[in-house]
Amino acid sequence: MKILITTDLYKPQINGVVTSIINLRSELEKEGHQVKILTISPQLTSFEEDGVYYIKSLPIGVYPNIRFPISCGIKYMKEIIEWKPEVIHSQCEFFSFNFAVKISKATKAPIVHTYHTLYEQYSKYVLGGRIVTPKLLALFSKGRMRRVQTVIAPSEKVLKKLEQYRVDSHIEVIPTGINLDEFYSEKKEEDIQKLKKQYGLDHDKKIILSLGRLGFEKRIDEIINGFSMNEKLKNIGVILIVGDGPARISLEQLAKEKGVDKNIIFVGMVSPKDVSNYYKMADLFVSASTSETQGLTYVEAAASGLPLVCRYDPCVEDLIEQGENGYVYHSMDELSVCLEKSLTDEKIINIANVKSKDLANKFGKEYFGQQIEDVYRQSVQYRKKSYQIVRNYV
């Protein structure tokens, strides 16, 4: 099949949406499909590279790395339309979605759309949330989804939200696939010791890992506060915060105010090829976020055999067995206790290495690719039948 993927977000950015697209393209091409990508350029020029078409853009200042296309991409649109994709897989609801609709009209290719983001968690970035309200987001999402044939929800949590929005398109729940091989692989002690030396980490210190974008919606301030409440934690552990984003300055200030700045290391962004080593170096993974649609970092941590401590959210239900490979917590006090238990309870430490990996299995990219491929075929067949019915009627 000829498959076009449209997205507002792509390399060189690093986030869950980009990771999902990279893994999907890899699996589809492995099965012999032709895949092209249409996205927004990270600069003021349009260009094509390795089957990826970048439309020139400008930053809009609403959220870091979000850019607005300043071209209709006529040259590339024409080239893609002449290529005649059989299915279009849209990954974002904003700018590139309009390109998907235009190409669909010209080629009669059905649109499959993955709803990656729960925008209510991000509305405060736009004029403090005074204009972009949950009601407006519901209307916007419902309107967009009317233009697609099948919606893919990465989790039951997203499905329920779309049902609240009264989206009436066909919805399939398919967890985003991850390349788990690098996380399943055995850690190389030499690489781990090199990393520890790089950050001046004592061998006897337990490492608590927080990994992901430092957005305010990720609630990393809760992790710092919960850690600071427990004297034992401060004596035995350090928090490694990997990632960057708009909340970083305020988080660094909070660590100083709480007197735990010596226990917290802000690593910043790291290369994707190095990410697995940070999991392998850690003794525990922690997240306070409730903004995840699936929680890819949770899966990566589980595949690495780590105990997990996460604030309750529907997307962690399939990855944490309470008291076995970690804890789900509901309050700041619980967080502090759960962190200590997970670092000191030998039962959890030993069981997590096997249990977490087992629970992560279902999120492998191979199964993900197969499920998406099935949706494509069903969408193409349905579209053909629909046009045949219309022609017969006319």
Side-chain angles (χ1 to χ4, degrees):
M1 296 178 69
K2 293 180 179 179
I3 300 157
L4 174 67
I5 297 174
T6 63
T7 175
D8 293 353
L9 309 168
Y10 198 60
K11 295 186 293 187
Q13 294 187 54
I14 304 170
N15 55 48
V17 175
V18 176
T19 300
S20 173
I21 296 168
I22 291 170
N23 288 334
L24 177 58
R25 185 186 191 187
S26 171
E27 289 305 305
L28 292 172
E29 290 182 337
K30 190 189 297 182
E31 293 301 314
H33 300 291
Q34 298 178 50
V35 182
K36 293 183 183 292
I37 296 173
L38 179 62
T39 188
I40 311 303
S41 173
Q43 56 198 41
L44 194 55
T45 56
S46 296
F47 61 98
E48 185 273 334
E49 184 177 85
D50 189 29
V52 182
Y53 298 88
Y54 294 86
I55 306 300
K56 62 182 177 180
S57 68
L58 286 172
I60 57 177
V62 173
Y63 194 78
N65 297 324
I66 299 298
R67 299 177 67 94
F68 177 80
I70 55 173
S71 168
C72 295
I74 295 173
K75 173 187 174 183
Y76 293 146
M77 291 284 282
K78 181 181 179 182
E79 186 173 328
I80 291 169
I81 289 169
E82 290 176 349
W83 180 61
K84 294 183 179 179
E86 296 167 73
V87 64
I88 300 167
H89 191 162
S90 171
Q91 305 278 338
C92 296
E93 293 78 26
F94 293 95
F95 310 123
S96 60
F97 187 87
N98 297 321
F99 294 131
V101 171
K102 289 178 181 178
I103 295 169
S104 175
K105 286 181 178 179
T107 62
K108 303 298 186 290
I111 300 176
V112 173
H113 182 83
T114 296
Y115 198 92
H116 286 283
T117 307
L118 297 177
Y119 292 104
E120 291 176 24
Q121 301 281 347
Y122 299 83
S123 61
K124 63 185 175 183
Y125 288 100
V126 184
L127 298 177
R130 295 189 301 274
I131 294 178
V132 183
T133 63
K135 184 176 180 180
L136 183 60
L137 286 169
L139 290 171
F140 171 78
S141 297
K142 185 176 181 179
R144 285 305 213 196
M145 295 307 98
R146 281 177 175 164
R147 311 298 295 273
V148 312
Q149 187 167 307
T150 302
V151 181
I152 295 173
S155 64
E156 292 290 335
K157 175 182 178 180
V158 176
L159 171 64
K160 291 176 181 176
K161 181 58 68 175
L162 291 173
E163 289 174 342
Q164 288 177 21
Y165 290 165
R166 297 184 179 179
V167 169
D168 48 18
S169 300
H170 176 66
I171 304 174
E172 294 273 357
V173 177
I174 302 177
T176 296
I178 301 175
N179 182 2
L180 297 177
D181 293 344
E182 59 185 308
F183 303 102
Y184 281 143
S185 64
E186 293 296 322
K187 63 182 179 183
K188 297 178 181 178
E189 198 58 39
E190 181 181 343
D191 293 338
I192 302 307
Q193 293 307 319
K194 185 178 178 180
L195 266 183
K196 285 188 175 182
K197 184 177 180 180
Q198 179 179 338
Y199 297 109
L201 295 168
D202 296 333
H203 295 293
D204 59 340
K205 288 288 187 181
K206 298 286 188 179
I207 299 172
I208 301 169
L209 177 67
S210 167
L211 190 147
R213 180 166 185 79
L214 305 192
F216 294 99
E217 71 283 352
K218 303 296 184 181
R219 303 163 58 106
I220 298 169
D221 57 325
E222 181 171 286
I223 298 171
I224 295 173
N225 283 319
F227 180 87
S228 69
M229 293 167 55
N230 191 313
E231 289 300 321
K232 187 171 183 179
L233 279 176
K234 288 190 278 187
N235 290 328
I236 68 170
V238 296
I239 301 178
L240 213 61
I241 298 179
V242 179
D244 213 337
R248 178 167 178 169
I249 294 175
S250 63
L251 292 171
E252 290 176 334
Q253 184 59 39
L254 176 63
K256 290 180 181 179
E257 291 172 1
K258 294 295 180 180
V260 292
D261 49 309
K262 292 182 179 179
N263 294 82
I264 298 178
I265 299 172
F266 289 87
V267 173
M269 294 293 290
V270 299
S271 171
K273 66 182 177 61
D274 296 328
V275 166
S276 61
N277 280 333
Y278 286 86
Y279 287 110
K280 289 179 171 65
M281 179 172 63
D283 297 287
L284 171 69
F285 175 82
V286 63
S287 175
S289 176
T290 56
S291 68
E292 311 303 315
T293 54
Q294 180 183 332
L296 298 184
T297 55
Y298 304 166
V299 180
E300 292 172 349
S304 301
L306 291 178
L308 286 75
V309 173
C310 301
R311 176 170 271 281
Y312 173 74
D313 190 74
C315 66
V316 303
E317 290 178 351
D318 293 332
L319 281 170
I320 299 177
E321 292 190 5
Q322 197 77 342
E324 294 288 313
N325 69 319
Y327 292 95
V328 173
Y329 72 91
H330 300 81
S331 69
M332 191 87 72
D333 289 336
E334 280 188 23
L335 168 60
S336 184
V337 172
C338 292
L339 287 173
E340 182 182 333
K341 281 185 178 180
S342 298
L343 286 177
T344 58
D345 188 333
E346 289 298 324
K347 174 193 169 187
I348 290 177
I349 294 170
N350 293 331
I351 291 178
N353 189 48
V354 176
K355 179 74 74 175
S356 289
K357 289 181 178 180
D358 287 344
L359 292 170
N361 264 331
K362 69 188 82 163
F363 298 97
K365 66 173 184 172
E366 295 80 9
Y367 184 51
F368 168 62
Q370 292 169 11
Q371 289 181 297
I372 296 293
E373 189 177 352
D374 288 342
V375 169
Y376 291 165
R377 296 193 186 283
Q378 291 168 14
S379 298
V380 170
Q381 290 173 4
Y382 181 83
R383 186 75 168 227
K384 287 179 179 177
K385 287 180 181 178
S386 297
Y387 277 109
Q388 186 63 49
I389 291 171
V390 171
R391 283 197 296 268
N392 291 340
Y393 178 78
V394 173

